[in-house]
């Protein structure tokens, strides 16, 4: 038996971290190679992470809801010796090198290893460091950090004198230095992870971070009960401590609880394992948050759990009682009626992307309206044909084609600014991103080579991508490589907006709803179907005049769809 | 449950308040775990009550008296009279302060203290029988247990500690007078520490040892220095002899009978016989089997590197969990046990556990000897600094012994140290730190050491290993 650690693999180009949404297995479960073990949400897609081992789940290192950098160990498996021939061989090779170094010219080591020897060596490799004696030279702090990060310290390359391993080496290894071959083949790509971020959580290395204040849980539990009773009269959603005798929780959950100053026995849960109440990290956080908002809403009892300075600027009494002074600089505490929603996963990815775009590219939005009588007719004419071919024909393919016409004429809108290189790349492909609203937030799947595709083909592709975006079944690669984006907010309603560019693209076209609106024709106000357009551009790259000219070309093609045939 | 039982619950139940148990309990409480510590006898365990502390107190007292009476070369002429009763009383005062301190610390950290003898009822229940008739008992349900019941001296056939003239180490540390003739069975570290103590207090000490030298685990040059010094102090050694029985002597004293492997018998006249042939784990009365735990063939509880027994939620630390049976090892294990229970990433991952013998001169060792390093596949390099080349050693009047560092030639990593000489028990700490930190010979050599101190010898030994010693000829 060997224990294999498994790191979060690179789940898509350039994805540096993901939120572990759901564990599909629990310790003790038997898994087969390629069986999905977890769902991870990364850069706008929900992907299943498959096991690369046959074996039994030994330990889960990550809580559901946690952000995990690519390359971090998330799970370990107990792997049967004969379970994976490939692994065993790779490891015994490493073992052989190590023991050769140890034994010098010991004959026995150089003979052909049989299966049994293989297994033994594979076992030995688990703890086999580079030094001959099975020793790793690292200070206690580095060794503890290795355990904390789930790193086999024997596999870490030391950068100190003589190969001594420091904390930085351990961290580097944890972050995706899957340089050691023994780590398993499936994680090789982890080292591609760009821009490794510091690994999360290792804050209480050694004893430095440990609080010396002793909290007696019995007393604390009882007090918070009274506290909650008081609170209940003022705020109906104040949590009741469950005050159980025993509670099952993973060590990681207990750690979260300690950090938040919450007694796991008090955390409400309906979940049970083996007949005992079972609490997850999420439960603990939710309870801690509920306690905090309670503290903000009512006079905090003097000895209510007060794990971290809660900003109670709304209540001077509470501040006095709790002993934590309100600080104007901190965001105000949520009121009793407020709900806190985690800013993580897709939401945070979108947020970061928006922030980056808006703060990087000076946006200018150009508005205009196309009169689309002919387009409406053209679509109506093509519709039966489309239905016969089982295609749901919307206006989107026409718009996409019209945009390609505009982009061909004004390539600067189909571009990317590479500031560092001091160059603007005018893209040769016409890959259009289509923004799709999903329950989890905005997703932008990309239709490639729009210039080469027919209307029906585009219709099919857009529908398929949109449907899968809503089901969150898109692969990360399907959201990459766009050169220009479209956002169809009109599908929900509205005329004009100020779309935000899908950075590093330089332009985005927003579509209002196609509706009959008053237009002036021959001096008369008449009703005609119109399509309001909102074009945002990166003003660093594109001039306002260019944007307007581009919009004109697009409108021309929408107003005279026959022109699309000339493309 | 027994009638009259009071049932309570705790997250962590610690059994035994020695250096393993009390440290585990305090750390568990610091981790926010509801912790109960049960002790049947005295807080501090063997170490504080009958071991490390009392022995070191008497070693210091006897050493001081002996030193003062043997300092003519410094111009000091004295013949100190030792009041043994008073010395033991002083020692008891030290013990009381320390054990009282342990109790206070436990309470201040929120540990529940219960006096009584604990035994397992099942995997999650223990019963504590309170001392004395009619004191009743209580049941305690626990989530995790830490067994820290320690060890006791081994008795050998024919020598019953209940006899007045047959001493265990505990008796030797509580005597109110110095016997004229002390026979000691066993030349291990406890036997040798007490041999030195009593020799300095004026007893005629005879050590009988089955093996052919004292202090079995140590290297020959280390043993020799301690043995020769003991002989200077008047200790008589008889190697290759095992104690077989005692009988009453004609002079009102006793005769200690020994036998060689070949069957040759000898007798030695003694007034007391100290039997110090080793220590055995205390697990009787614990009913370990009720918790599903078995002991190994020597009676120890087997544990993994996180101090867990075969039953995962029951940990064992200290002497009851096997070698090395030392107080600081027990405490380290106790801390790891508590942190593992609290979910911390703790483990027994130390590179080495130092050991000290408080003989005259002292011995301090840590890590690998040269032979051990070689056996482990290193290409060891060794550096030495004899204390007779140390200025500070000369000014203390004690120049026996040396500091030896063992390192890996290729990388320079310090692998071990053997120190014999004045304050070796203190000096070894630096070597332990070097090993634990993965320091190299260069690191130790380049660290500025205070002059004049004994610790400079550690630096010099590192220089010597690098062929750069200033105060000795490089090997
Ligand atoms: C003479 C002598 C000198 C020594 N000198 C040194 C030294 O210099 N340095 C060093 O490191 N070590 C020394 N030692 C060894 C050291 O004392 C032990 O290694 C150390 O005490 C072990 O600690 P422990 O916690 O495992 O057990 P102990 O200290 O033995 O404590 C165990 C405790 O458990 C209690 N107990 C047992 N069973 C039960 C039960 N069922 N219910 C409740 N309580 C129970 C006992 O009463 C005891 O208090 C010396 C020992 C002796 C005898």
């Amino acid at each position: 038996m060997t224990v294999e650690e498994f790191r979060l693999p690179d789940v898509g180009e350039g994805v540096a971290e993901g939120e572990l949404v759901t564990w599909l297995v629990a310790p003790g479960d038997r898994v087969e190679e390629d069986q999905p073990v977890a769902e991870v949400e990364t850069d706008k897609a929900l992907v299943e992470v498959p096991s690369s081992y046959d074996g039994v789940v030994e330990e889960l290192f990550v809580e559901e809801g946690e952000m995990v950098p690519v390359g971090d160990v998330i799970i370990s498996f107990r792997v049967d010796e004969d379970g994976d021939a490939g692994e065993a061989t790779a490891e015994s090779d490493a073992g052989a090198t190590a023991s050769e170094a140890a034994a010098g010219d010991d004959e026995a080591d150089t003979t052909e290893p049989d299966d049994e020897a293989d297994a033994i060596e594979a076992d030995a490799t688990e703890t086999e460091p580079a030094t001959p004696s099975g020793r790793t030279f690292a200070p206690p702090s580095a060794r503890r950090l290795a355990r904390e990060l789930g790193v086999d310290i024997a596999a870490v390359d030391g950068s100190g004198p003589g190969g001594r391993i420091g904390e930085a080496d351990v961290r580097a290894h944890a972050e995706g230095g899957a340089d050691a071959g023994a780590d398993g083949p499936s994680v090789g790509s982890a080292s591609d992870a760009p821009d490794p971020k510091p690994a999360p959580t290792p804050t209480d290395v050694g004893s430095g971070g440990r609080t010396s204040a002793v909290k007696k849980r019995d007393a604390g539990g009882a007090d918070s009960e009274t506290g909650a009773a008081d609170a209940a009269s003022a705020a109906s959603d104040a949590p009741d401590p469950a005050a159980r005798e025993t509670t099952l929780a993973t060590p990681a959950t207990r750690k979260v609880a300690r950090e938040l100053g919450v007694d796991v026995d008090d955390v409400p849960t309906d979940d049970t394992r083996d007949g005992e109440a079972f609490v997850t990290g999420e439960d603990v956080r939710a309870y801690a948050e509920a306690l905090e908002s309670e503290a903000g809403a009512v006079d905090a009892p003097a000895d209510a759990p007060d794990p971290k300075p809660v900003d109670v600027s709304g209540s001077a009494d509470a501040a006095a009682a709790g002993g934590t002074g309100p600080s104007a600089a901190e965001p105000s505490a949520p009121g009793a009626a407020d709900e806190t929603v985690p800013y993580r996963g897709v939401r945070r990815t979108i947020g970061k992307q928006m922030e980056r775009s808006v703060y990087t590219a000076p946006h200018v939005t150009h508005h205009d309206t196309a009169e689309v009588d002919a387009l409406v007719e053209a679509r109506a004419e093509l519709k039966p044909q489309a239905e016969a071919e089982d295609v749901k024909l919307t206006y989107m393919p026409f718009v996409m084609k019209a945009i390609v016409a505009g982009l061909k004429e004004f390539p600067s809108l189909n571009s990317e600014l590479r500031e560092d290189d001091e160059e603007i790349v005018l893209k040769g492909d016409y890959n259009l991103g289509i923004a799709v609203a999903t329950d989890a937030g905005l997703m932008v799947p990309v239709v490639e080579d729009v210039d080469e595709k027919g209307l029906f083909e585009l219709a099919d592709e857009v529908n398929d991508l949109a449907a899968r975006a809503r089901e969150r079944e898109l692969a990360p690669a399907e959201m990459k490589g766009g050169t220009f984006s479209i956002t169809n907010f009109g599908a929900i309603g509205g005329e004009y907006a100020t779309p935000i560019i899908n950075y590093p693209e330089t332009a985005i076209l927003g579509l209002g709803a196609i509706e009959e609106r008053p237009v002036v024709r021959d001096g008369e106000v008449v009703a005609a179907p119109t399509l309001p357009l909102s074009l945002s551009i990166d003003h660093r790259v594109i001039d306002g005049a260019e944007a307007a000219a581009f919009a004109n070309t697009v409108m021309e093609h929408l107003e005279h769809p026959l022109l699309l045939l000339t493309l | 449950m027994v009638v009259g039982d009071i049932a309570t619950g705790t997250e962590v139940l610690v059994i035994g308040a020695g250096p393993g148990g009390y440290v585990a309990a305090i750390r568990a409480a610091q981790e926010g775990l509801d912790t109960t510590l049960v002790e049947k006898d005295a807080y501090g365990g063997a170490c504080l009550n009958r071991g490390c502390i009392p022995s070191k107190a008497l070693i210091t007292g006897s050493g001081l008296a002996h030193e003062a009476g043997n300092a003519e070369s410094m111009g000091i002429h004295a013949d100190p009279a030792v009041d043994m009763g008073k010395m033991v009383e002083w020692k008891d005062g030290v013990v009381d302060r320390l054990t009282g301190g342990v109790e206070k610390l436990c309470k201040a950290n929120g540990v529940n203290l219960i006096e009584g003898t604990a035994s397992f009822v099942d995997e999650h229940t223990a019963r504590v029988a309170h001392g004395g008739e009619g004191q009743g008992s209580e049941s305690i349900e626990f989530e995790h247990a830490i067994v820290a019941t320690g060890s006791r001296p081994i008795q050998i056939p024919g020598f019953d500690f209940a006899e007045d003239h047959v001493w265990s180490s505990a008796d030797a540390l509580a005597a109110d007078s110095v016997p004229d003739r002390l026979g000691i069975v066993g030349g291990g570290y406890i036997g040798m520490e007490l041999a030195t103590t009593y020799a300095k207090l004026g007893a005629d000490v005879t050590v009988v040892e089955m093996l052919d030298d004292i202090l079995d685990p140590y290297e020959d040059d280390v043993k020799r220095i301690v043995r020769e010094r003991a002989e200077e102090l008047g200790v008589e050694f008889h190697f290759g002899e095992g104690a077989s029985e005692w009988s009453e002597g004609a002079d009102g004293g006793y005769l200690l009978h020994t036998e060689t492997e070949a069957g040759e018998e000898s007798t030695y006249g003694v007034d007391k016989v100290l039997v110090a042939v080793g220590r055995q784990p205390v697990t009787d009365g614990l009913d370990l089997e009720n918790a599903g735990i078995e002991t190994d063939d020597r009676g120890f509880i087997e544990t993994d590197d996180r101090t867990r027994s075969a039953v995962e939620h029951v940990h064992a630390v200290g002497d009851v969990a096997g070698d090395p049976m030392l107080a600081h090892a027990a405490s380290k294990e106790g801390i790891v046990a508590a942190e593992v229970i609290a979910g911390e990433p703790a483990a027994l991952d130390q590179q080495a556990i130092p050991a000290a013998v408080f003989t005259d001169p002292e011995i301090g060792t840590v890590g690998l000897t040269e032979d051990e390093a070689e056996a482990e596949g290193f290409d060891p390099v060794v550096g030495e600094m004899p204390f007779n080349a140390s200025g500070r050693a000369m000014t203390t009047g004690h120049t026996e012994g040396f500091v030896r560092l063992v390192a890996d030639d290729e990388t320079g990593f310090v692998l071990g140290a053997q120190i014999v000489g004045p304050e070796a028990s203190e000096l070894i700490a630096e070597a332990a730190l070097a090993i634990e930190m993965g320091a190299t010979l260069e690191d130790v050599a380049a660290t500025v050491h205070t002059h004049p101190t004994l610790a400079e010898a550690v630096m010099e030994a590192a220089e010597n290993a690098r062929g750069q010693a200033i105060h000795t000829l490089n090997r």
Side-chain angles (χ1 to χ4, degrees), chain B residues 15-21 38-42 44-47 50-52 55-56 116-118 148-151 169 173 189-190 193 279 282 286 317-320 325-328 330 358:
Chain B
I15 304 175
V38 184
E39 169 57 55
K40 68 172 178 189
D41 181 12
C47 181
R50 318 175 278 285
C52 334
S55 62
K56 267 79 261 180
T117 305
T149 47
S151 63
S169 54
L173 296 169
Y189 84 92
I190 293 177
E193 286 183 4
R279 297 180 65 82
V282 174
L286 260 183
V317 303
D319 286 4
V320 76
M325 294 169 75
L326 293 170
H328 42 278
F358 294 79

Side-chain angles (χ1 to χ4, degrees), chain B residues 14-21 46 120 145-152 279-286 288 293-303 307 309 314-327 329-331 333-334:
Chain B
V14 184
I15 304 175
F120 286 98
I146 300 174
V147 180
T149 47
S151 63
R152 66 164 70 91
R279 297 180 65 82
Q280 64 191 25
V282 174
T283 55
D284 43 317
L286 260 183
L288 282 173
I293 296 170
E294 287 173 16
T295 53
D296 69 11
D297 46 10
R298 291 165 65 209
F300 294 106
I301 300 175
E302 279 182 77
T303 54
T307 72
S309 73
V314 179
H315 296 240
V317 303
D319 286 4
V320 76
D323 289 330
M325 294 169 75
L326 293 170
S331 296
E333 290 162 19

Side-chain angles (χ1 to χ4, degrees), chain A residues 102 131-133 135-140 143-144 147-148 161-164 204 210 214-218 245-246 251 254 258, chain B residues 11 27 31-32 34 109 143 306 339 342-347 349-351 376-378 411 413 415 435-439 443:
Chain A
T131 48
S133 68
R135 269 277 273 279
T136 306
F137 290 90
R143 280 178 259 147
R144 183 178 172 108
R147 279 197 304 279
E148 192 161 305
R164 175 171 51 202
D204 84 349
R210 187 170 291 116
V214 177
K215 211 167 72 70
K216 287 215 227 149
R217 51 174 44 223
D218 270 356
E245 288 278 296
T246 57
R254 289 190 191 276
R258 263 198 318 283
Chain B
E11 274 178 301
R27 174 53 53 86
E31 290 279 0
D34 176 27
N109 278 287
E143 281 175 43
R306 315 245 159 159
E339 292 188 353
E344 304 272 356
D349 68 348
Q350 65 278 342
Q351 305 277 32
E376 288 209 9
F378 290 101
T411 58
F413 286 131
L415 300 173
I435 293 173
E436 214 61 55
M437 294 299 294
D443 294 333

Side-chain angles (χ1 to χ4, degrees), chain B residues 311-378:
Chain B
V311 177
E312 275 208 9
H313 66 281
V314 179
H315 296 240
V317 303
D319 286 4
V320 76
D323 289 330
M325 294 169 75
L326 293 170
H328 42 278
S331 296
K332 170 76 183 178
E333 290 162 19
I335 284 180
V336 168
E339 292 188 353
V340 166
I341 290 172
E344 304 272 356
L348 292 172
D349 68 348
Q350 65 278 342
Q351 305 277 32
I353 293 179
V357 182
F358 294 79
T359 41
D360 182 1
E362 293 180 352
I363 301 172
T365 56
V366 63
L368 306 179
T369 62
E370 184 176 5
D371 286 350
E372 287 166 348
E374 211 155 296
E376 288 209 9
F378 290 101

